[in-house]
Amino acid sequence: MPHLSSPSSDLVARVRRIGGQVSAIERALDAGAECEKVLHLAAAVRGAVNGLMEEIIAEHLEEHVAAPGLSDADRTRGAQDLLAVIRRYSK
């Protein structure tokens, strides 16, 4: 089942920003930056990924669990998929 009903330029833009943040960590490490700077950069990436996950989870809920017209089987599958991801993500 496709996760997103249509390509989302907002999500793609978020992923590109995260890629830029990860590149900033790499540059900081290559340059021998202070630990504090690298930690701040890593924390920013973590926050950005958490925000991305929240957005994708919300879209999944709307499209694959709560959308009108879904069969009980589709809702169950959508809920099971989401639960598996949440369990994996929370480890």
Side-chain angles (χ1 to χ4, degrees), residues 25 28-29 32-44:
I25 294 172
L29 291 170
E34 295 290 327
C35 292
E36 180 183 5
K37 179 177 181 170
V38 175
L39 287 168
H40 282 284
L41 292 169

Side-chain angles (χ1 to χ4, degrees), residues 15-31 37 41-42 45:
V15 170
R16 288 185 180 142
R17 281 193 299 275
I18 292 168
Q21 290 174 307
V22 171
S23 294
I25 294 172
E26 182 179 2
R27 288 190 304 274
L29 291 170
D30 285 343
K37 179 177 181 170
L41 292 169
V45 169

Side-chain angles (χ1 to χ4, degrees), residues 9-78:
S9 60
D10 290 341
L11 290 178
V12 171
R14 278 181 171 220
V15 170
R16 288 185 180 142
R17 281 193 299 275
I18 292 168
Q21 290 174 307
V22 171
S23 294
I25 294 172
E26 182 179 2
R27 288 190 304 274
L29 291 170
D30 285 343
E34 295 290 327
C35 292
E36 180 183 5
K37 179 177 181 170
V38 175
L39 287 168
H40 282 284
L41 292 169
V45 169
R46 182 177 183 179
V49 170
N50 285 341
L52 176 67
M53 284 294 294
E54 288 172 15
E55 185 66 29
I56 295 172
I57 286 171
E59 288 189 25
H60 179 85
L61 275 171
E62 291 170 5
E63 293 291 323
H64 302 292
V65 179
L70 290 174
S71 69
D72 287 343
D74 287 340
R75 284 184 204 285
T76 299
R77 184 173 46 247

